Amino acid sequence: MFFLPALILFQGEIGPTLQAGSSAEFYRLCYSVEQKLEQGDFAAAEKAARMLPRLMVSYSWDDSKVPEVRRAEFRTARDQALSAWTRSNIGIEFKEERNADIKFSFVDELPPNADSSVPAGAVHFYSESPEEPRVEAVIALKRGLARDETELLDVHQEVAYTVASYFGIHRNPLAGPFAFRSEEPVRFQSSGVAFEFMLARRNVEIGDTLRKAVVEKRRLTPTRPELRIEPSEVALEQAVQGDKVTFSIQVSNVGNAPLLLRVRPDCGCLAGNVPSSIAPGGSGIIEGSIDTTEFVGALRKRFFVYSNDPDGALKQVPITLNVKPLFRLLSRDGNAITIPKGKSKTVQVFLSLAPDANMKVLNAKVEGRPAALAWDVWMGDAADPEMGEPEKTRRGYQFRLTFDDQGPPGRSSTMLVIETDNPKHPTLRYPISSQLGIVAIPEEVYFGEIQRMARRARLTLSQPGTPFRITKVESNNPRMTATAGSERSDEHRLTVELDGNMDYGQFNASLTIFTDDPDMPRVVVPVRAVVR
Amino acid sequence: MRVLPLAAAAFLTATAFWRPSSSDVTVIVTSTLEGNLTPCGCTKPMSGGIKRRATVVRRLSTSGPSVTLDSGGWIKSSGRQDEMKVEALAETLRQSRVNAALWGLSESRLGSSIAATASRLSEGRLVTTSVIADPEAGLNRWIVADPFLVGGIALDPTRAAESLAGKPVTTTQALSDLKQAAAELDLVPALLIEGGREQAAELARLEPSLSLVVYRLQGTPPETLDLVGNTALVSAGDLGRKVVALTYNDGKFKSVRVIDLGPDVADDEEVSRTHSRYLARVSEAGLLDRLPRGNSAGYVGSQTCGSCHGEALDAWKATRHSNALVTLEHEGHDKDPDCVGCHVTGLDDESGFRSREKTPLFSSVGCESCHGPGGDHVKEPAKFKLRANGAQSCLPCHTSTTSPGFDFETYWARVIHK
């Protein structure tokens, strides 16, 4: 907490209002200047005001601890980060000099921050004394739990971040902005966002305002906004899929300066309108909504609330909700079926609707492997294992797909396509994989990345309900063999073996399995590995 | 005056660098994937993916004693591509030295042969306490991950057992079996479950000796320790976007940390190779050709539309829709059925997209992706009007996962035409 009681009586002109997303360090510096002005200590105020950010930024670069071979490329990475800031078109210029606003130096390793177990990638010192740099960044040459070498992207990130902190921008938890940083190595180059450039510009203007107040010897009263969020976590009642659930979060300003706010959701399903500013002592409402169309089950999403409260520049508000499905597609037969030889197979699919569901089926069709389709309104008992629901009475529609044993053998796909009048769910799809004849499972024997040693895998050949015999197995690679029993069965388990003398690199081979089934006299199974 | 953050003060005084306390065990929990091995990459930056996840797991697990638990929930359906995903993911368990992964109902549906393949590729890291499976399937009822004995509870043991040709075990019995086995081995029982927090809390109340229950949740995992009695309830969220790390010491969980797998996290080399092999297998298996397709009035291609709607065609050419397949080609997902449908025209129809070579006219998100097939309309324009559009045309592809931050009004303004 800072040092001001809430709602003091103003003695004079109040200081400038900081923007949402400004850092606590920047607030402290502004406060320090304003406090000195209020006390009439203009010489001290002038000294402190020298540390406020300007568009002309000086920096010093001490890379004496950096191995000599890396110094040039580190400087290049630094220059790229500074150039990225310069390209913001707000008039920033950089110059290298000895007694600078920003000092960069390096150290071999750093301990973790107090709230982390990961060794720090850099530490930052903030000074209010003109004899010292405003920001000093000490960058570790080894970073993260594995103590990796600091690479060029890390240097880029640390430099870009340090400049952001010089301009009084609060650290951002999400990658992309310059104000993001990580203790672990990064592999993504921050490119900055418009909001940061706007904020940097605004904070320089605040610096100018305070410097002018010093010159004019105006007495300013230091102020600060203070954000309160109620509730700090939103637990919503149960909703039905497709509902747009609305909720309110009260935001109050118990400080004595205007509170500025920005809200960003962590999901496209979440939206929120927030008052952009709240007067001292006032309050406002974040009108939030969550669109549940894409979700079923327990949900937890977040709002990021950025403000100019120096103690709460970024707060997170979790939103929790349990979403009941609007509809479920259920089948006792599952998604994978077998079509017996000489017979047909019927699959029942139920469209179970929530009570009061606004959904009528307009049409249904089958795509892929053909099946005769009949559908009707339905009420009956069905379980929903994925929702953890036992068999119970449900209502909706039933679809009967009848597959005959015609068509190519093997596995193929069918899609039941259901057209509805629900604008959010106009088309529902239920996939069915059907097996006809003898099928190898898995279709390909995959060993993955292996060392040069003997390996064994299992392969199943099945034709449920129709026994057959394996008469011969041929391998097209001398390093591979396969064995199978000779009994008559509707399921055979084969053992595939690699002898350990395979060549290094890709191992692509195949097995040809001969059967006594006249419809499928042979089945070819690819075998794949990478030998390293 | 110098303002020193705590870390800086520590930096100034540290004589020896930090190492984890010798008795701390880091428990690493990875989230469900629901078939998303990597973020789709259509927009950037996106979080998640097995390549980044492996980097974080490797880092956390090599910094001291650790146990890594995978929540399962790898797939959402049970087709050939799902089998390939399972094989790739099983391989990554071995590569990342994960101790145990839940083999739940969704994975069980692939059958015992695929379970056996996954078990072989993971080198025995799959667990289900809910099923006594065929021993050849290679599934464990529990796995020793010192100091824990890790079990797994499937949503519907009966159906899971049916798929695995095994014997179902009720949840109460599974819990009792796990507790007894843990006592015999002098270990602490921990559970991975397919259910949500409610079920996790119920299990914790039913069996207070459980140290940890890892449950399923959509969205962002809680950042604070959630205890029921002494049992920690933990979720790492969904879609492979986070990793959760807990500190366990002296029989208790002390802290929890949620790690975002953002673009700042490097890809793990070994798992990247596995993912590349997965994409190559998907491509070579020709899964696009095996997709079920319907018979519509026929797609005609945007050039045909442009012969009457020239201005609209010009407007479309200036949009990213006209180049949508290129994005996938850059990411290596241009033969991936999970992705291609939203980057071409008419993938679900006999007359639509097959490949860039065979059907160049449909190798983009063309007019008919939103307006529907134009076969009838070009024959009799007055009789067969194509549908007018609204947000419904966009939302099947621009979901909160594939298109985070999508706002219909903003994006519509970019593609608007007459």
Side-chain angles (χ1 to χ4, degrees), chain A residues 101-388:
Chain A
D101 302 315
I102 302 174
K103 180 182 177 185
F104 296 98
S105 62
F106 293 84
V107 67
D108 192 43
E109 278 188 51
L110 288 166
N113 293 311
D115 59 349
S116 170
S117 55
V118 183
V123 287
H124 297 84
F125 302 79
Y126 297 88
S127 171
E128 293 174 13
S129 165
E131 287 77 40
E132 293 174 333
R134 166 60 184 150
V135 188
E136 182 175 349
V138 181
I139 302 169
L141 292 168
K142 290 194 177 68
R143 58 183 46 232
L145 281 170
R147 290 168 178 75
D148 290 295
E149 295 288 329
T150 289
E151 294 296 342
L152 304 184
L153 280 173
D154 303 315
V155 175
H156 186 284
Q157 174 205 256
E158 296 295 6
V159 171
Y161 172 82
T162 304
V163 174
S165 67
Y166 168 77
F167 283 116
I169 301 171
H170 182 73
R171 183 172 177 172
N172 199 311
L174 303 174
F178 285 143
F180 167 81
R181 64 173 302 278
S182 167
E183 314 303 348
E184 291 284 357
V186 295
R187 292 294 174 269
F188 176 81
Q189 187 162 304
S190 300
S191 53
V193 293
F195 170 71
E196 293 179 306
F197 304 142
M198 185 275 291
L199 189 54
R201 176 82 199 199
R202 172 64 189 150
N203 287 348
V204 169
E205 286 168 3
I206 287 171
D208 292 342
T209 304
L210 291 176
R211 278 186 284 265
K212 194 174 170 208
V214 169
V215 171
E216 293 171 356
K217 299 191 174 174
R218 278 157 44 209
R219 288 175 186 259
L220 296 184
T221 301
T223 60
R224 61 156 299 180
E226 194 174 330
L227 170 66
R228 295 276 164 85
I229 299 178
E230 185 65 36
S232 57
E233 179 160 357
V234 180
L236 295 167
E237 296 292 313
Q238 191 164 273
V240 176
Q241 183 187 12
D243 287 353
K244 195 167 187 176
V245 184
T246 57
F247 55 91
S248 302
I249 302 167
Q250 181 167 327
V251 280
S252 309
N253 180 7
V254 295
N256 62 353
L259 175 73
L260 305 184
L261 292 165
R262 286 174 76 227
V263 168
R264 291 285 176 275
D266 76 344
C267 175
C269 61
L270 196 59
N273 287 321
V274 61
S276 57
S277 72
I278 297 174
S283 63
I285 298 289
I286 298 176
E287 300 285 1
S289 67
I290 184 161
D291 184 345
T292 61
T293 304
E294 294 174 28
F295 304 99
V296 167
L299 261 184
R300 189 175 185 278
K301 302 286 181 181
R302 281 177 303 177
F303 269 136
F304 295 104
V305 181
Y306 298 86
S307 79
N308 59 337
D309 175 347
D311 278 336
L314 173 58
K315 287 187 173 175
Q316 298 185 17
V317 184
I319 323 288
T320 54
L321 174 65
N322 193 34
V323 184
K324 292 293 264 184
L326 178 73
F327 65 90
R328 298 284 296 160
L329 285 165
L330 308 171
S331 175
R332 293 193 186 100
D333 304 288
N335 291 92
I337 59 158
T338 302
I339 304 168
K341 212 179 233 187
K343 294 180 183 169
S344 62
K345 170 79 181 178
T346 297
V347 177
Q348 267 188 307
V349 179
F350 303 117
L351 170 60
S352 168
L353 299 174
D356 306 323
N358 176 25
M359 182 182 281
K360 280 192 183 125
V361 172
L362 302 175
N363 193 20
K365 59 185 179 182
V366 166
E367 294 178 348
R369 182 195 279 273
L373 174 65
W375 61 277
D376 206 347
V377 173
W378 163 80
M379 191 168 86
D381 292 347
D384 188 348
E386 283 170 9
M387 297 303 295

Side-chain angles (χ1 to χ4, degrees), chain A residues 113 117 126 136 147-148 187-188 266 294 296 300 386 411 443-444 446 449 456 460 493 528, chain B residues 2-3 7 18-19 59 83 91 109 113 120 134 218 220 263 266 273 277 281 284 290 400:
Chain A
N113 293 311
S117 55
Y126 297 88
E136 182 175 349
R147 290 168 178 75
D148 290 295
R187 292 294 174 269
F188 176 81
D266 76 344
E294 294 174 28
V296 167
R300 189 175 185 278
E386 283 170 9
R411 289 206 293 181
E443 286 184 31
E444 175 184 81
Y446 175 66
E449 197 170 278
R456 183 180 283 187
T460 303
R493 291 182 181 179
R528 182 193 290 254
Chain B
R2 272 200 142 191
V3 184
W18 167 91
R19 292 286 185 274
R59 280 174 191 287
E83 292 174 358
E91 203 177 353
R109 281 182 171 143
S113 291
R120 169 174 55 79
D134 171 0
Q218 293 176 88
T220 312
R273 290 200 301 270
R277 276 197 300 281
R281 293 178 73 206
E284 287 165 27
R290 291 164 65 165
S400 60

Side-chain angles (χ1 to χ4, degrees), chain B residues 37-344:
Chain B
L37 271 55
T38 55
C40 87
C42 306
T43 57
K44 290 181 177 171
M46 280 189 171
S47 289
I50 57 172
K51 295 182 278 186
R52 293 174 186 162
R53 179 165 92 176
T55 299
V56 169
V57 168
R58 214 182 279 267
R59 280 174 191 287
L60 292 168
S61 61
T62 51
S63 64
S66 68
V67 167
T68 305
L69 305 174
D70 182 300
S71 302
W74 292 351
I75 50 173
K76 282 188 89 174
S77 57
S78 47
R80 177 66 188 128
Q81 189 171 6
D82 300 292
E83 292 174 358
M84 289 179 173
K85 285 178 184 174
V86 160
E87 289 170 344
L89 289 169
E91 203 177 353
T92 67
L93 292 186
R94 175 182 61 76
Q95 292 164 336
S96 304
R97 295 185 177 80
V98 171
N99 293 82
L102 175 60
W103 193 257
L105 178 62
S106 53
E107 292 78 28
S108 297
R109 281 182 171 143
L110 297 177
S112 65
S113 291
I114 299 298
T117 302
S119 175
R120 169 174 55 79
L121 289 165
S122 74
E123 297 184 346
R125 289 169 161 85
L126 308 176
V127 66
T128 174
T129 317
S130 300
V131 178
I132 299 172
D134 171 0
E136 282 199 43
L139 298 173
N140 303 287
R141 288 202 71 208
W142 35 74
I143 288 175
V144 174
D146 195 14
F148 306 105
L149 186 69
V150 184
I153 300 287
L155 263 177
D156 184 336
T158 306
R159 293 208 185 199
E162 270 172 25
S163 301
L164 293 168
K167 189 179 148 205
V169 180
T170 63
T171 298
T172 314
Q173 186 61 46
L175 214 51
S176 163
D177 293 351
L178 178 70
K179 184 185 172 187
Q180 191 182 335
E184 284 167 12
L185 294 165
D186 197 19
L187 295 168
V188 189
L191 258 190
L192 306 169
I193 68 168
E194 272 188 306
R197 192 198 170 278
E198 220 169 280
Q199 193 195 1
E202 194 183 311
L203 291 169
R205 281 190 285 270
L206 200 64
E207 187 44 72
S209 70
L210 283 169
S211 56
L212 172 73
V213 183
V214 176
Y215 64 91
R216 303 274 173 92
L217 172 74
Q218 293 176 88
T220 312
E223 293 87 357
T224 51
L225 203 52
D226 180 6
L227 292 171
V228 171
N230 284 325
T231 309
L233 310 186
V234 179
S235 175
D238 62 345
L239 301 169
R241 290 193 275 217
K242 313 278 181 196
V243 168
V244 170
L246 302 107
T247 312
Y248 181 80
N249 193 344
D250 201 19
K252 284 183 180 163
F253 282 95
K254 296 193 300 185
S255 66
V256 61
R257 189 156 62 103
V258 178
I259 301 158
D260 183 51
L261 300 177
D264 53 301
V265 179
D267 289 344
D268 180 89
E269 265 181 44
E270 200 177 5
V271 170
S272 293
R273 290 200 301 270
T274 301
H275 186 251
S276 297
R277 276 197 300 281
Y278 157 75
L279 286 180
R281 293 178 73 206
V282 167
S283 174
E284 287 165 27
L287 297 186
L288 284 182
D289 294 329
R290 291 164 65 165
L291 290 175
R293 290 170 183 264
N295 286 295
S296 70
Y299 284 86
V300 296
S302 299
Q303 294 302 326
T304 306
C305 306
S307 60
C308 294
H309 306 279
E311 276 185 37
L313 183 70
D314 289 342
W316 169 78
K317 280 179 180 169
T319 68
R320 292 180 67 189
H321 282 159
S322 69
N323 237 352
L325 187 58
V326 175
T327 318
L328 277 192
E329 288 165 341
H330 284 160
E331 299 288 331
H333 283 271
D334 52 312
K335 303 283 194 298
D336 182 347
D338 279 353
C339 306
V340 174
C342 283
H343 290 254
V344 300

Side-chain angles (χ1 to χ4, degrees), chain A residues 5 10 99 123 179 200 228 231 313 334 345 377 403 410 416 438 483 532:
Chain A
F10 298 131
N99 298 315
V123 287
R228 295 276 164 85
K345 170 79 181 178
V377 173
F403 295 85
L416 168 64
I438 300 170
T483 51
R532 290 178 69 87

